[in-house]
Amino acid sequence: MKKKWLFAATAVLALSLAGCGSKDTKNSADNGSGGTKEKKVLVMGTAADYAPFEYIDAKVSDDIIGFDIDLAKAATEKMGYELQVKDMEFNSLIPALQADKIDFVLAGMTPNAERDKVVDFSKSYYDTKEYMLTKKDSGIKSDADLAGKKLGAQTSSIQEDLAKSLAKQIKGITIESRDRIPELVQEVKLGRIDALITEDIVAENYLKQNKDLSYYVIQNQEDQSKAAAFPEGSKLTAEFDKALDELNKEGKVDELKAKWFKVK
């Protein structure tokens, strides 16, 4: 009985010490005087299915890479924070921000009136246009050709709003929404969806990889600006804007555009 009691006590002590070590490693850092201090970490929410803004190249590693990731790293470094990236579904990003599960969002997100009611947006860091992505043999060359077709868009996206608007204007359009862009592209390739609304930079990435796909530029649209989202009233918005201004002046943003978008 004594041996059993000693073993149990030892196990409890070991678990206790292991728990303390894990907490210290995650939340604290050596301050050079034998003590610890809290790390300044910002958690960024993103949806890593939106190449070249944010995605995972499984052939290389499981790390999330892309324009937004590099921009976030550069901006948060200037702001004096370490960056932690959390991947989630696009439609859960703003709810996660409102619930304080993340500190900000950088995910190729476009500000609009509905989103602006519940979050604060940074200055714009990039503008895009919307493409209609189709199969080459689809016969779809303009909005008028969408009559009676299945139109795809990412759930809770600006593109889904545009799809709903087109459905009101053109007879017979049905909308198919999905959480992830790669799934939508695959549906188009298989003929289950006739056309997909997505941004020019994202569409061009798929067009390069899939010779059986084609596109046209959707007419009568405004440029879609990209911005970071923060909780309402957060001081981080102004800090990010300041860092973004500095990065623009230094030419860093243009450097990242050239790297990820192949533009000057």
Side-chain angles (χ1 to χ4, degrees), residues 168-192:
K168 292 178 181 178
Q169 302 170 36
I170 301 170
K171 186 177 180 180
I173 287 181
T174 55
I175 299 172
E176 295 281 341
S177 299
R178 301 285 188 276
D179 290 330
R180 296 279 178 173
I181 294 296
E183 182 181 353
L184 284 163
V185 173
Q186 187 64 17
E187 294 282 80
V188 171
K189 287 172 64 66
L190 293 173
R192 295 171 183 165

mmCIF file with all atom_site columns, all heavy atoms in Angstrom, residues 168-192:
data_model
loop_
_atom_site.group_PDB
_atom_site.id
_atom_site.type_symbol
_atom_site.label_atom_id
_atom_site.label_alt_id
_atom_site.label_comp_id
_atom_site.label_asym_id
_atom_site.label_entity_id
_atom_site.label_seq_id
_atom_site.pdbx_PDB_ins_code
_atom_site.Cartn_x
_atom_site.Cartn_y
_atom_site.Cartn_z
_atom_site.occupancy
_atom_site.B_iso_or_equiv
_atom_site.pdbx_formal_charge
_atom_site.auth_seq_id
_atom_site.auth_comp_id
_atom_site.auth_asym_id
_atom_site.auth_atom_id
_atom_site.pdbx_PDB_model_num
ATOM 1   N N   . LYS A 1 168 ? -30.629 38.201 -58.866 1.00 0.00 ? 168 LYS A N   1
ATOM 2   C CA  . LYS A 1 168 ? -31.826 39.042 -58.910 1.00 0.00 ? 168 LYS A CA  1
ATOM 3   C C   . LYS A 1 168 ? -32.022 39.660 -60.293 1.00 0.00 ? 168 LYS A C   1
ATOM 4   O O   . LYS A 1 168 ? -33.136 39.990 -60.683 1.00 0.00 ? 168 LYS A O   1
ATOM 5   C CB  . LYS A 1 168 ? -31.718 40.151 -57.862 1.00 0.00 ? 168 LYS A CB  1
ATOM 6   C CG  . LYS A 1 168 ? -31.782 39.662 -56.421 1.00 0.00 ? 168 LYS A CG  1
ATOM 7   C CD  . LYS A 1 168 ? -31.611 40.825 -55.446 1.00 0.00 ? 168 LYS A CD  1
ATOM 8   C CE  . LYS A 1 168 ? -31.655 40.336 -54.000 1.00 0.00 ? 168 LYS A CE  1
ATOM 9   N NZ  . LYS A 1 168 ? -31.446 41.465 -53.045 1.00 0.00 ? 168 LYS A NZ  1
ATOM 10  N N   . GLN A 1 169 ? -30.905 39.811 -61.007 1.00 0.00 ? 169 GLN A N   1
ATOM 11  C CA  . GLN A 1 169 ? -30.949 40.466 -62.314 1.00 0.00 ? 169 GLN A CA  1
ATOM 12  C C   . GLN A 1 169 ? -31.140 39.491 -63.473 1.00 0.00 ? 169 GLN A C   1
ATOM 13  O O   . GLN A 1 169 ? -31.733 39.849 -64.500 1.00 0.00 ? 169 GLN A O   1
ATOM 14  C CB  . GLN A 1 169 ? -29.649 41.241 -62.550 1.00 0.00 ? 169 GLN A CB  1
ATOM 15  C CG  . GLN A 1 169 ? -29.333 42.298 -61.506 1.00 0.00 ? 169 GLN A CG  1
ATOM 16  C CD  . GLN A 1 169 ? -27.923 42.847 -61.674 1.00 0.00 ? 169 GLN A CD  1
ATOM 17  O OE1 . GLN A 1 169 ? -27.428 42.997 -62.786 1.00 0.00 ? 169 GLN A OE1 1
ATOM 18  N NE2 . GLN A 1 169 ? -27.249 43.126 -60.564 1.00 0.00 ? 169 GLN A NE2 1
ATOM 19  N N   . ILE A 1 170 ? -30.631 38.274 -63.312 1.00 0.00 ? 170 ILE A N   1
ATOM 20  C CA  . ILE A 1 170 ? -30.616 37.311 -64.419 1.00 0.00 ? 170 ILE A CA  1
ATOM 21  C C   . ILE A 1 170 ? -31.463 36.090 -64.060 1.00 0.00 ? 170 ILE A C   1
ATOM 22  O O   . ILE A 1 170 ? -31.252 35.453 -63.021 1.00 0.00 ? 170 ILE A O   1
ATOM 23  C CB  . ILE A 1 170 ? -29.169 36.885 -64.740 1.00 0.00 ? 170 ILE A CB  1
ATOM 24  C CG1 . ILE A 1 170 ? -28.343 38.123 -65.112 1.00 0.00 ? 170 ILE A CG1 1
ATOM 25  C CG2 . ILE A 1 170 ? -29.132 35.869 -65.868 1.00 0.00 ? 170 ILE A CG2 1
ATOM 26  C CD1 . ILE A 1 170 ? -26.864 37.858 -65.218 1.00 0.00 ? 170 ILE A CD1 1
ATOM 27  N N   . LYS A 1 171 ? -32.374 35.747 -64.917 1.00 0.00 ? 171 LYS A N   1
ATOM 28  C CA  . LYS A 1 171 ? -33.333 34.682 -64.652 1.00 0.00 ? 171 LYS A CA  1
ATOM 29  C C   . LYS A 1 171 ? -32.662 33.309 -64.568 1.00 0.00 ? 171 LYS A C   1
ATOM 30  O O   . LYS A 1 171 ? -31.809 32.968 -65.384 1.00 0.00 ? 171 LYS A O   1
ATOM 31  C CB  . LYS A 1 171 ? -34.389 34.668 -65.762 1.00 0.00 ? 171 LYS A CB  1
ATOM 32  C CG  . LYS A 1 171 ? -35.526 33.689 -65.523 1.00 0.00 ? 171 LYS A CG  1
ATOM 33  C CD  . LYS A 1 171 ? -36.570 33.796 -66.620 1.00 0.00 ? 171 LYS A CD  1
ATOM 34  C CE  . LYS A 1 171 ? -37.713 32.814 -66.372 1.00 0.00 ? 171 LYS A CE  1
ATOM 35  N NZ  . LYS A 1 171 ? -38.757 32.907 -67.444 1.00 0.00 ? 171 LYS A NZ  1
ATOM 36  N N   . GLY A 1 172 ? -33.058 32.545 -63.570 1.00 0.00 ? 172 GLY A N   1
ATOM 37  C CA  . GLY A 1 172 ? -32.664 31.141 -63.489 1.00 0.00 ? 172 GLY A CA  1
ATOM 38  C C   . GLY A 1 172 ? -31.326 30.852 -62.836 1.00 0.00 ? 172 GLY A C   1
ATOM 39  O O   . GLY A 1 172 ? -30.903 29.690 -62.774 1.00 0.00 ? 172 GLY A O   1
ATOM 40  N N   . ILE A 1 173 ? -30.629 31.868 -62.329 1.00 0.00 ? 173 ILE A N   1
ATOM 41  C CA  . ILE A 1 173 ? -29.357 31.610 -61.642 1.00 0.00 ? 173 ILE A CA  1
ATOM 42  C C   . ILE A 1 173 ? -29.621 30.975 -60.281 1.00 0.00 ? 173 ILE A C   1
ATOM 43  O O   . ILE A 1 173 ? -30.468 31.442 -59.511 1.00 0.00 ? 173 ILE A O   1
ATOM 44  C CB  . ILE A 1 173 ? -28.551 32.917 -61.440 1.00 0.00 ? 173 ILE A CB  1
ATOM 45  C CG1 . ILE A 1 173 ? -27.957 33.398 -62.759 1.00 0.00 ? 173 ILE A CG1 1
ATOM 46  C CG2 . ILE A 1 173 ? -27.433 32.709 -60.419 1.00 0.00 ? 173 ILE A CG2 1
ATOM 47  C CD1 . ILE A 1 173 ? -27.132 34.677 -62.625 1.00 0.00 ? 173 ILE A CD1 1
ATOM 48  N N   . THR A 1 174 ? -28.908 29.893 -59.997 1.00 0.00 ? 174 THR A N   1
ATOM 49  C CA  . THR A 1 174 ? -28.925 29.313 -58.653 1.00 0.00 ? 174 THR A CA  1
ATOM 50  C C   . THR A 1 174 ? -27.515 29.445 -58.076 1.00 0.00 ? 174 THR A C   1
ATOM 51  O O   . THR A 1 174 ? -26.527 29.372 -58.802 1.00 0.00 ? 174 THR A O   1
ATOM 52  C CB  . THR A 1 174 ? -29.344 27.834 -58.665 1.00 0.00 ? 174 THR A CB  1
ATOM 53  O OG1 . THR A 1 174 ? -28.484 27.098 -59.554 1.00 0.00 ? 174 THR A OG1 1
ATOM 54  C CG2 . THR A 1 174 ? -30.778 27.681 -59.120 1.00 0.00 ? 174 THR A CG2 1
ATOM 55  N N   . ILE A 1 175 ? -27.446 29.641 -56.763 1.00 0.00 ? 175 ILE A N   1
ATOM 56  C CA  . ILE A 1 175 ? -26.158 29.900 -56.116 1.00 0.00 ? 175 ILE A CA  1
ATOM 57  C C   . ILE A 1 175 ? -25.708 28.702 -55.294 1.00 0.00 ? 175 ILE A C   1
ATOM 58  O O   . ILE A 1 175 ? -26.478 28.139 -54.514 1.00 0.00 ? 175 ILE A O   1
ATOM 59  C CB  . ILE A 1 175 ? -26.245 31.151 -55.217 1.00 0.00 ? 175 ILE A CB  1
ATOM 60  C CG1 . ILE A 1 175 ? -26.613 32.376 -56.061 1.00 0.00 ? 175 ILE A CG1 1
ATOM 61  C CG2 . ILE A 1 175 ? -24.914 31.394 -54.494 1.00 0.00 ? 175 ILE A CG2 1
ATOM 62  C CD1 . ILE A 1 175 ? -26.913 33.615 -55.243 1.00 0.00 ? 175 ILE A CD1 1
ATOM 63  N N   . GLU A 1 176 ? -24.454 28.320 -55.482 1.00 0.00 ? 176 GLU A N   1
ATOM 64  C CA  . GLU A 1 176 ? -23.835 27.237 -54.725 1.00 0.00 ? 176 GLU A CA  1
ATOM 65  C C   . GLU A 1 176 ? -22.669 27.830 -53.918 1.00 0.00 ? 176 GLU A C   1
ATOM 66  O O   . GLU A 1 176 ? -21.674 28.262 -54.494 1.00 0.00 ? 176 GLU A O   1
ATOM 67  C CB  . GLU A 1 176 ? -23.310 26.151 -55.664 1.00 0.00 ? 176 GLU A CB  1
ATOM 68  C CG  . GLU A 1 176 ? -24.374 25.410 -56.445 1.00 0.00 ? 176 GLU A CG  1
ATOM 69  C CD  . GLU A 1 176 ? -25.064 24.345 -55.604 1.00 0.00 ? 176 GLU A CD  1
ATOM 70  O OE1 . GLU A 1 176 ? -24.494 23.952 -54.569 1.00 0.00 ? 176 GLU A OE1 1
ATOM 71  O OE2 . GLU A 1 176 ? -26.169 23.917 -55.989 1.00 0.00 ? 176 GLU A OE2 1
ATOM 72  N N   . SER A 1 177 ? -22.818 27.870 -52.601 1.00 0.00 ? 177 SER A N   1
ATOM 73  C CA  . SER A 1 177 ? -21.761 28.421 -51.737 1.00 0.00 ? 177 SER A CA  1
ATOM 74  C C   . SER A 1 177 ? -20.979 27.298 -51.062 1.00 0.00 ? 177 SER A C   1
ATOM 75  O O   . SER A 1 177 ? -21.540 26.260 -50.704 1.00 0.00 ? 177 SER A O   1
ATOM 76  C CB  . SER A 1 177 ? -22.370 29.337 -50.669 1.00 0.00 ? 177 SER A CB  1
ATOM 77  O OG  . SER A 1 177 ? -23.047 30.427 -51.271 1.00 0.00 ? 177 SER A OG  1
ATOM 78  N N   . ARG A 1 178 ? -19.685 27.517 -50.911 1.00 0.00 ? 178 ARG A N   1
ATOM 79  C CA  . ARG A 1 178 ? -18.806 26.568 -50.223 1.00 0.00 ? 178 ARG A CA  1
ATOM 80  C C   . ARG A 1 178 ? -17.866 27.355 -49.305 1.00 0.00 ? 178 ARG A C   1
ATOM 81  O O   . ARG A 1 178 ? -17.603 28.540 -49.520 1.00 0.00 ? 178 ARG A O   1
ATOM 82  C CB  . ARG A 1 178 ? -17.957 25.770 -51.225 1.00 0.00 ? 178 ARG A CB  1
ATOM 83  C CG  . ARG A 1 178 ? -18.753 24.956 -52.234 1.00 0.00 ? 178 ARG A CG  1
ATOM 84  C CD  . ARG A 1 178 ? -19.360 23.713 -51.620 1.00 0.00 ? 178 ARG A CD  1
ATOM 85  N NE  . ARG A 1 178 ? -19.951 22.857 -52.643 1.00 0.00 ? 178 ARG A NE  1
ATOM 86  C CZ  . ARG A 1 178 ? -21.176 23.005 -53.146 1.00 0.00 ? 178 ARG A CZ  1
ATOM 87  N NH1 . ARG A 1 178 ? -21.946 24.014 -52.731 1.00 0.00 ? 178 ARG A NH1 1
ATOM 88  N NH2 . ARG A 1 178 ? -21.628 22.178 -54.076 1.00 0.00 ? 178 ARG A NH2 1
ATOM 89  N N   . ASP A 1 179 ? -17.313 26.674 -48.306 1.00 0.00 ? 179 ASP A N   1
ATOM 90  C CA  . ASP A 1 179 ? -16.410 27.337 -47.359 1.00 0.00 ? 179 ASP A CA  1
ATOM 91  C C   . ASP A 1 179 ? -15.032 27.590 -47.938 1.00 0.00 ? 179 ASP A C   1
ATOM 92  O O   . ASP A 1 179 ? -14.360 28.552 -47.558 1.00 0.00 ? 179 ASP A O   1
ATOM 93  C CB  . ASP A 1 179 ? -16.264 26.497 -46.077 1.00 0.00 ? 179 ASP A CB  1
ATOM 94  C CG  . ASP A 1 179 ? -17.529 26.494 -45.234 1.00 0.00 ? 179 ASP A CG  1
ATOM 95  O OD1 . ASP A 1 179 ? -18.268 27.499 -45.276 1.00 0.00 ? 179 ASP A OD1 1
ATOM 96  O OD2 . ASP A 1 179 ? -17.780 25.494 -44.542 1.00 0.00 ? 179 ASP A OD2 1
ATOM 97  N N   . ARG A 1 180 ? -14.575 26.731 -48.861 1.00 0.00 ? 180 ARG A N   1
ATOM 98  C CA  . ARG A 1 180 ? -13.202 26.807 -49.350 1.00 0.00 ? 180 ARG A CA  1
ATOM 99  C C   . ARG A 1 180 ? -13.145 26.986 -50.871 1.00 0.00 ? 180 ARG A C   1
ATOM 100 O O   . ARG A 1 180 ? -13.858 26.316 -51.631 1.00 0.00 ? 180 ARG A O   1
ATOM 101 C CB  . ARG A 1 180 ? -12.446 25.534 -48.974 1.00 0.00 ? 180 ARG A CB  1
ATOM 102 C CG  . ARG A 1 180 ? -12.289 25.341 -47.462 1.00 0.00 ? 180 ARG A CG  1
ATOM 103 C CD  . ARG A 1 180 ? -11.144 26.164 -46.926 1.00 0.00 ? 180 ARG A CD  1
ATOM 104 N NE  . ARG A 1 180 ? -10.975 26.048 -45.483 1.00 0.00 ? 180 ARG A NE  1
ATOM 105 C CZ  . ARG A 1 180 ? -9.952  26.586 -44.819 1.00 0.00 ? 180 ARG A CZ  1
ATOM 106 N NH1 . ARG A 1 180 ? -9.020  27.243 -45.467 1.00 0.00 ? 180 ARG A NH1 1
ATOM 107 N NH2 . ARG A 1 180 ? -9.865  26.474 -43.509 1.00 0.00 ? 180 ARG A NH2 1
ATOM 108 N N   . ILE A 1 181 ? -12.262 27.870 -51.327 1.00 0.00 ? 181 ILE A N   1
ATOM 109 C CA  . ILE A 1 181 ? -12.109 28.156 -52.749 1.00 0.00 ? 181 ILE A CA  1
ATOM 110 C C   . ILE A 1 181 ? -11.656 26.930 -53.552 1.00 0.00 ? 181 ILE A C   1
ATOM 111 O O   . ILE A 1 181 ? -12.190 26.675 -54.641 1.00 0.00 ? 181 ILE A O   1
ATOM 112 C CB  . ILE A 1 181 ? -11.116 29.322 -52.963 1.00 0.00 ? 181 ILE A CB  1
ATOM 113 C CG1 . ILE A 1 181 ? -11.686 30.619 -52.383 1.00 0.00 ? 181 ILE A CG1 1
ATOM 114 C CG2 . ILE A 1 181 ? -10.810 29.506 -54.450 1.00 0.00 ? 181 ILE A CG2 1
ATOM 115 C CD1 . ILE A 1 181 ? -12.933 31.116 -53.049 1.00 0.00 ? 181 ILE A CD1 1
ATOM 116 N N   . PRO A 1 182 ? -10.673 26.141 -53.095 1.00 0.00 ? 182 PRO A N   1
ATOM 117 C CA  . PRO A 1 182 ? -10.260 24.967 -53.883 1.00 0.00 ? 182 PRO A CA  1
ATOM 118 C C   . PRO A 1 182 ? -11.416 24.015 -54.181 1.00 0.00 ? 182 PRO A C   1
ATOM 119 O O   . PRO A 1 182 ? -11.474 23.421 -55.261 1.00 0.00 ? 182 PRO A O   1
ATOM 120 C CB  . PRO A 1 182 ? -9.207  24.301 -52.993 1.00 0.00 ? 182 PRO A CB  1
ATOM 121 C CG  . PRO A 1 182 ? -8.641  25.422 -52.189 1.00 0.00 ? 182 PRO A CG  1
ATOM 122 C CD  . PRO A 1 182 ? -9.810  26.314 -51.893 1.00 0.00 ? 182 PRO A CD  1
ATOM 123 N N   . GLU A 1 183 ? -12.338 23.897 -53.235 1.00 0.00 ? 183 GLU A N   1
ATOM 124 C CA  . GLU A 1 183 ? -13.506 23.029 -53.448 1.00 0.00 ? 183 GLU A CA  1
ATOM 125 C C   . GLU A 1 183 ? -14.384 23.591 -54.566 1.00 0.00 ? 183 GLU A C   1
ATOM 126 O O   . GLU A 1 183 ? -14.887 22.846 -55.418 1.00 0.00 ? 183 GLU A O   1
ATOM 127 C CB  . GLU A 1 183 ? -14.311 22.919 -52.157 1.00 0.00 ? 183 GLU A CB  1
ATOM 128 C CG  . GLU A 1 183 ? -15.519 21.993 -52.250 1.00 0.00 ? 183 GLU A CG  1
ATOM 129 C CD  . GLU A 1 183 ? -16.321 21.906 -50.975 1.00 0.00 ? 183 GLU A CD  1
ATOM 130 O OE1 . GLU A 1 183 ? -15.872 22.477 -49.950 1.00 0.00 ? 183 GLU A OE1 1
ATOM 131 O OE2 . GLU A 1 183 ? -17.399 21.294 -50.993 1.00 0.00 ? 183 GLU A OE2 1
ATOM 132 N N   . LEU A 1 184 ? -14.556 24.909 -54.594 1.00 0.00 ? 184 LEU A N   1
ATOM 133 C CA  . LEU A 1 184 ? -15.360 25.541 -55.638 1.00 0.00 ? 184 LEU A CA  1
ATOM 134 C C   . LEU A 1 184 ? -14.716 25.372 -57.018 1.00 0.00 ? 184 LEU A C   1
ATOM 135 O O   . LEU A 1 184 ? -15.402 25.093 -58.004 1.00 0.00 ? 184 LEU A O   1
ATOM 136 C CB  . LEU A 1 184 ? -15.523 27.029 -55.321 1.00 0.00 ? 184 LEU A CB  1
ATOM 137 C CG  . LEU A 1 184 ? -16.524 27.377 -54.210 1.00 0.00 ? 184 LEU A CG  1
ATOM 138 C CD1 . LEU A 1 184 ? -16.293 28.792 -53.709 1.00 0.00 ? 184 LEU A CD1 1
ATOM 139 C CD2 . LEU A 1 184 ? -17.958 27.206 -54.693 1.00 0.00 ? 184 LEU A CD2 1
ATOM 140 N N   . VAL A 1 185 ? -13.406 25.551 -57.081 1.00 0.00 ? 185 VAL A N   1
ATOM 141 C CA  . VAL A 1 185 ? -12.695 25.389 -58.353 1.00 0.00 ? 185 VAL A CA  1
ATOM 142 C C   . VAL A 1 185 ? -12.853 23.963 -58.867 1.00 0.00 ? 185 VAL A C   1
ATOM 143 O O   . VAL A 1 185 ? -13.093 23.729 -60.059 1.00 0.00 ? 185 VAL A O   1
ATOM 144 C CB  . VAL A 1 185 ? -11.203 25.737 -58.199 1.00 0.00 ? 185 VAL A CB  1
ATOM 145 C CG1 . VAL A 1 185 ? -10.430 25.411 -59.478 1.00 0.00 ? 185 VAL A CG1 1
ATOM 146 C CG2 . VAL A 1 185 ? -11.029 27.221 -57.853 1.00 0.00 ? 185 VAL A CG2 1
ATOM 147 N N   . GLN A 1 186 ? -12.745 23.007 -57.962 1.00 0.00 ? 186 GLN A N   1
ATOM 148 C CA  . GLN A 1 186 ? -12.906 21.605 -58.352 1.00 0.00 ? 186 GLN A CA  1
ATOM 149 C C   . GLN A 1 186 ? -14.317 21.331 -58.871 1.00 0.00 ? 186 GLN A C   1
ATOM 150 O O   . GLN A 1 186 ? -14.499 20.580 -59.840 1.00 0.00 ? 186 GLN A O   1
ATOM 151 C CB  . GLN A 1 186 ? -12.590 20.692 -57.153 1.00 0.00 ? 186 GLN A CB  1
ATOM 152 C CG  . GLN A 1 186 ? -12.555 19.210 -57.469 1.00 0.00 ? 186 GLN A CG  1
ATOM 153 C CD  . GLN A 1 186 ? -11.439 18.841 -58.441 1.00 0.00 ? 186 GLN A CD  1
ATOM 154 O OE1 . GLN A 1 186 ? -10.494 19.604 -58.649 1.00 0.00 ? 186 GLN A OE1 1
ATOM 155 N NE2 . GLN A 1 186 ? -11.522 17.660 -59.034 1.00 0.00 ? 186 GLN A NE2 1
ATOM 156 N N   . GLU A 1 187 ? -15.309 21.956 -58.254 1.00 0.00 ? 187 GLU A N   1
ATOM 157 C CA  . GLU A 1 187 ? -16.691 21.797 -58.701 1.00 0.00 ? 187 GLU A CA  1
ATOM 158 C C   . GLU A 1 187 ? -16.879 22.347 -60.117 1.00 0.00 ? 187 GLU A C   1
ATOM 159 O O   . GLU A 1 187 ? -17.622 21.777 -60.925 1.00 0.00 ? 187 GLU A O   1
ATOM 160 C CB  . GLU A 1 187 ? -17.639 22.514 -57.735 1.00 0.00 ? 187 GLU A CB  1
ATOM 161 C CG  . GLU A 1 187 ? -17.692 21.924 -56.334 1.00 0.00 ? 187 GLU A CG  1
ATOM 162 C CD  . GLU A 1 187 ? -18.544 20.672 -56.268 1.00 0.00 ? 187 GLU A CD  1
ATOM 163 O OE1 . GLU A 1 187 ? -18.022 19.603 -56.657 1.00 0.00 ? 187 GLU A OE1 1
ATOM 164 O OE2 . GLU A 1 187 ? -19.703 20.749 -55.849 1.00 0.00 ? 187 GLU A OE2 1
ATOM 165 N N   . VAL A 1 188 ? -16.206 23.455 -60.412 1.00 0.00 ? 188 VAL A N   1
ATOM 166 C CA  . VAL A 1 188 ? -16.268 24.014 -61.772 1.00 0.00 ? 188 VAL A CA  1
ATOM 167 C C   . VAL A 1 188 ? -15.613 23.057 -62.760 1.00 0.00 ? 188 VAL A C   1
ATOM 168 O O   . VAL A 1 188 ? -16.148 22.784 -63.844 1.00 0.00 ? 188 VAL A O   1
ATOM 169 C CB  . VAL A 1 188 ? -15.576 25.399 -61.820 1.00 0.00 ? 188 VAL A CB  1
ATOM 170 C CG1 . VAL A 1 188 ? -15.443 25.872 -63.274 1.00 0.00 ? 188 VAL A CG1 1
ATOM 171 C CG2 . VAL A 1 188 ? -16.369 26.414 -61.011 1.00 0.00 ? 188 VAL A CG2 1
ATOM 172 N N   . LYS A 1 189 ? -14.452 22.535 -62.413 1.00 0.00 ? 189 LYS A N   1
ATOM 173 C CA  . LYS A 1 189 ? -13.720 21.629 -63.299 1.00 0.00 ? 189 LYS A CA  1
ATOM 174 C C   . LYS A 1 189 ? -14.533 20.365 -63.585 1.00 0.00 ? 189 LYS A C   1
ATOM 175 O O   . LYS A 1 189 ? -14.460 19.794 -64.672 1.00 0.00 ? 189 LYS A O   1
ATOM 176 C CB  . LYS A 1 189 ? -12.370 21.260 -62.669 1.00 0.00 ? 189 LYS A CB  1
ATOM 177 C CG  . LYS A 1 189 ? -11.347 22.392 -62.704 1.00 0.00 ? 189 LYS A CG  1
ATOM 178 C CD  . LYS A 1 189 ? -10.105 22.061 -61.901 1.00 0.00 ? 189 LYS A CD  1
ATOM 179 C CE  . LYS A 1 189 ? -9.336  20.885 -62.465 1.00 0.00 ? 189 LYS A CE  1
ATOM 180 N NZ  . LYS A 1 189 ? -8.753  21.175 -63.788 1.00 0.00 ? 189 LYS A NZ  1
ATOM 181 N N   . LEU A 1 190 ? -15.302 19.915 -62.597 1.00 0.00 ? 190 LEU A N   1
ATOM 182 C CA  . LEU A 1 190 ? -16.109 18.702 -62.759 1.00 0.00 ? 190 LEU A CA  1
ATOM 183 C C   . LEU A 1 190 ? -17.461 18.985 -63.402 1.00 0.00 ? 190 LEU A C   1
ATOM 184 O O   . LEU A 1 190 ? -18.237 18.064 -63.678 1.00 0.00 ? 190 LEU A O   1
ATOM 185 C CB  . LEU A 1 190 ? -16.319 18.035 -61.399 1.00 0.00 ? 190 LEU A CB  1
ATOM 186 C CG  . LEU A 1 190 ? -15.066 17.440 -60.738 1.00 0.00 ? 190 LEU A CG  1
ATOM 187 C CD1 . LEU A 1 190 ? -15.382 16.958 -59.321 1.00 0.00 ? 190 LEU A CD1 1
ATOM 188 C CD2 . LEU A 1 190 ? -14.500 16.290 -61.575 1.00 0.00 ? 190 LEU A CD2 1
ATOM 189 N N   . GLY A 1 191 ? -17.772 20.269 -63.620 1.00 0.00 ? 191 GLY A N   1
ATOM 190 C CA  . GLY A 1 191 ? -19.034 20.629 -64.251 1.00 0.00 ? 191 GLY A CA  1
ATOM 191 C C   . GLY A 1 191 ? -20.224 20.655 -63.326 1.00 0.00 ? 191 GLY A C   1
ATOM 192 O O   . GLY A 1 191 ? -21.367 20.787 -63.764 1.00 0.00 ? 191 GLY A O   1
ATOM 193 N N   . ARG A 1 192 ? -19.987 20.569 -62.031 1.00 0.00 ? 192 ARG A N   1
ATOM 194 C CA  . ARG A 1 192 ? -21.094 20.604 -61.063 1.00 0.00 ? 192 ARG A CA  1
ATOM 195 C C   . ARG A 1 192 ? -21.544 22.037 -60.790 1.00 0.00 ? 192 ARG A C   1
ATOM 196 O O   . ARG A 1 192 ? -22.665 22.278 -60.349 1.00 0.00 ? 192 ARG A O   1
ATOM 197 C CB  . ARG A 1 192 ? -20.671 19.931 -59.759 1.00 0.00 ? 192 ARG A CB  1
ATOM 198 C CG  . ARG A 1 192 ? -20.380 18.445 -59.908 1.00 0.00 ? 192 ARG A CG  1
ATOM 199 C CD  . ARG A 1 192 ? -19.769 17.887 -58.648 1.00 0.00 ? 192 ARG A CD  1
ATOM 200 N NE  . ARG A 1 192 ? -19.426 16.482 -58.794 1.00 0.00 ? 192 ARG A NE  1
ATOM 201 C CZ  . ARG A 1 192 ? -18.622 15.824 -57.971 1.00 0.00 ? 192 ARG A CZ  1
ATOM 202 N NH1 . ARG A 1 192 ? -18.084 16.458 -56.930 1.00 0.00 ? 192 ARG A NH1 1
ATOM 203 N NH2 . ARG A 1 192 ? -18.358 14.540 -58.171 1.00 0.00 ? 192 ARG A NH2 1
#
